[in-house]
Amino acid sequence: MNKVLITSQGRTATLSLNQGLDKIGGVCSFHERRSTDVPFLFYSQQDQYRTITQDYLKEEDAFASTQDQAHFVAVNPYFRFVGQQLRDNFGWQVAHLVRHPKTYLESVFQRPIFTRDDKGLHQLPQDNDNFSTQWNNATRFEKLCWYYAKTLSYFAQTDIQWFQYEVVVAHPSGLNNLLTAVGLPEVPADFELPRTNVGPSIKTKLIRTLRNQQIPGPLDWGELTTREQETYASFFEPLASYFKYDL
């Protein structure tokens, strides 16, 4: 069986990608299969949880081996820091999806991450991270810049192949570049990824309103402070060049 992990920094249409891959003959695909995948993102970046992380990956590998298709795919941004382990220890094919920093920040800014209503476990700076001393005084925009840059920096340090989200979703030829790299069947020229509404639903917005939860509005680049603009540039200029994006 060909076992594949497609991970990302988040906000890269992984749900649509998963639904599209699951329609390909011989492929079974899962998107964020377990509810415990969410805290796993936090555990996977902490050395003291190494045993928990390894056991979790063993369970995922064992589940993949029970499927009766030729190709098993896990499309899971929460596995972003374990791609190397799955590849080296369990023989998975791995690929990363990346996204332009500007559109990524515009997308993630309207999610609850790092707001007062955020109940999730997320990537956080460790003591040896220079940004840890600035964390308490950083704005939400600056924290999201760090969050993006930390993930992209990790991707850049591995030799796992990465693909631009914009190219993958634009045309089947871009998607096929990714599929070929991880040993999946190519799709025909008229193949289209399903469209999914990944924004907050009306029901979700209503529940947040009733609970007096803040619903983040759109990011206004014109309202950024000088320090925020400098933070954006300092984090992204070297990364944008590496991942072939123009700022």
Side-chain angles (χ1 to χ4, degrees):
M1 169 184 284
N2 179 31
K3 295 171 291 188
V4 177
L5 169 65
I6 300 175
T7 186
S8 80
Q9 64 186 87
R11 315 307 302 152
T12 51
T14 52
L15 180 58
S16 294
L17 178 60
N18 170 75
Q19 293 175 350
L21 295 181
D22 204 44
K23 295 180 179 180
I24 301 175
V27 176
C28 63
S29 185
F30 292 86
H31 180 260
E32 301 171 12
R33 190 172 66 86
R34 295 179 283 181
S35 60
T36 45
D37 289 346
V38 180
F40 181 76
L41 170 63
F42 177 81
Y43 296 138
S44 63
Q45 63 176 320
Q46 305 290 339
D47 288 341
Q48 63 265 38
Y49 297 120
R50 189 174 302 166
T51 299
I52 295 175
T53 300
Q54 191 68 10
D55 289 346
Y56 202 83
L57 297 180
K58 287 180 181 177
E59 293 176 7
E60 191 70 9
D61 186 69
F63 174 80
S65 298
T66 65
Q67 304 304 297
D68 59 0
Q69 301 291 345
H71 306 273
F72 175 90
V73 184
V75 185
N76 199 329
Y78 295 119
F79 279 23
R80 66 186 67 157
F81 299 118
V82 300
Q84 196 85 32
Q85 290 186 55
L86 276 175
R87 188 185 66 171
D88 295 344
N89 298 348
F90 300 100
W92 288 50
Q93 303 293 321
V94 184
H96 295 311
L97 285 172
V98 301
R99 182 171 180 173
H100 191 287
K102 187 174 187 296
T103 62
Y104 169 81
L105 287 168
E106 290 170 347
S107 178
V108 77
F109 201 79
Q110 298 189 69
R111 310 289 284 189
I113 180 172
F114 297 148
T115 69
R116 63 180 177 84
D117 295 314
D118 184 8
K119 302 299 191 294
L121 288 172
H122 297 293
Q123 187 179 359
L124 296 170
Q126 300 187 52
D127 291 343
N128 60 357
D129 189 316
N130 292 333
F131 197 69
S132 64
T133 60
Q134 307 173 43
W135 188 261
N136 289 337
N137 296 319
T139 66
R140 179 170 178 254
F141 175 82
E142 290 174 308
K143 291 178 179 179
L144 290 172
C145 286
W146 171 87
Y147 185 80
Y148 171 99
K150 193 68 176 179
T151 301
L152 268 288
S153 296
Y154 170 79
F155 288 174
Q157 292 167 8
T158 75
D159 61 354
I160 295 172
Q161 296 186 80
W162 53 267
F163 299 84
Q164 291 181 339
Y165 144 84
E166 296 85 356
V167 175
V168 170
V169 302
H171 191 272
S173 60
L175 175 59
N176 278 332
N177 290 335
L178 168 61
L179 300 182
T180 300
V182 291
L184 293 174
E186 292 190 1
V187 296
D190 59 351
F191 183 85
E192 293 185 3
L193 290 175
R195 295 182 179 274
T196 58
N197 179 16
V198 294
S201 66
I202 294 176
K203 180 180 179 181
T204 299
K205 291 179 180 179
L206 177 60
I207 291 174
R208 287 183 184 177
T209 301
L210 293 175
R211 293 178 179 174
N212 196 28
Q213 292 181 332
Q214 177 184 0
I215 302 175
L219 173 59
D220 188 340
W221 292 89
E223 291 187 355
L224 296 182
T225 66
T226 300
R227 192 184 79 175
E228 288 174 326
Q229 294 174 10
E230 292 173 348
T231 299
Y232 175 80
S234 66
F235 274 129
F236 298 142
E237 283 179 352
L239 288 170
S241 175
Y242 180 86
F243 290 104
K244 306 185 187 308
Y245 283 123
D246 294 324
L247 290 183

